[in-house]
Amino acid sequence: MAETERSIFSRIIAGEIPADVVYDSERIIAFRDIAPQAPVHLLVVPKTEQYRDVTELAAGDPGLLAELVATAKHLAQEHSDGDFRLVFNTGAGAGQTVFHVHAHVLSGDLTEGTLGQL
């Protein structure tokens, strides 16, 4: 993959772009969203560039998807009261802007008026 094609998440994983990292394991990284849509808004990202969206991840590595969801649950318990919304945008028409699979963990006051485009 050429340098210009690498996603911002790949560059964060490589340490080229700073992020407020809240979790880091061998296969997953999580950090605070720079434009939060809720009091707690974390991005949970597999470290592999192989999957563009959650459907590709589910088909290609269901174990990694399960690990991502378990990480989201752990982070919601650690950073909030354990209740959370888990959002995967799949495709540009659904609001996906970074084509490196990732989940949004949202917690806190999630009234409809506070959530913009994720």
Side-chain angles (χ1 to χ4, degrees):
M1 186 174 272
E3 179 73 24
T4 58
E5 296 176 15
R6 292 175 61 222
S7 75
I8 190 169
F9 296 157
S10 294
R11 297 184 67 205
I12 288 170
I13 292 163
E16 298 168 9
I17 296 175
D20 185 358
V21 175
V22 297
Y23 180 85
D24 193 2
S25 73
E26 182 180 324
R27 300 190 339 145
I28 292 177
I29 190 169
F31 45 89
R32 295 185 191 283
D33 193 293
I34 61 169
Q37 300 295 312
V40 175
H41 187 168
L42 307 174
L43 300 176
V44 184
V45 183
K47 289 185 174 179
T48 179
E49 297 176 330
Q50 184 174 353
Y51 307 106
R52 290 174 48 88
D53 60 47
V54 69
T55 61
E56 288 184 9
L57 178 59
D61 193 342
L64 181 57
L65 176 56
E67 187 177 338
L68 187 150
V69 172
T71 300
K73 178 182 177 183
H74 167 78
L75 291 170
Q77 291 170 333
E78 185 177 295
H79 293 270
S80 189
D81 62 3
D83 292 340
F84 67 104
R85 183 178 291 179
L86 187 62
V87 177
F88 292 92
N89 297 322
T90 303
Q96 186 176 5
T97 58
V98 179
F99 293 90
H100 180 141
V101 64
H102 60 285
H104 296 261
V105 176
L106 301 142
S107 190
D109 181 13
L110 297 178
T111 59
E112 285 301 314
T114 63
L115 295 178
Q117 184 170 347
L118 298 176

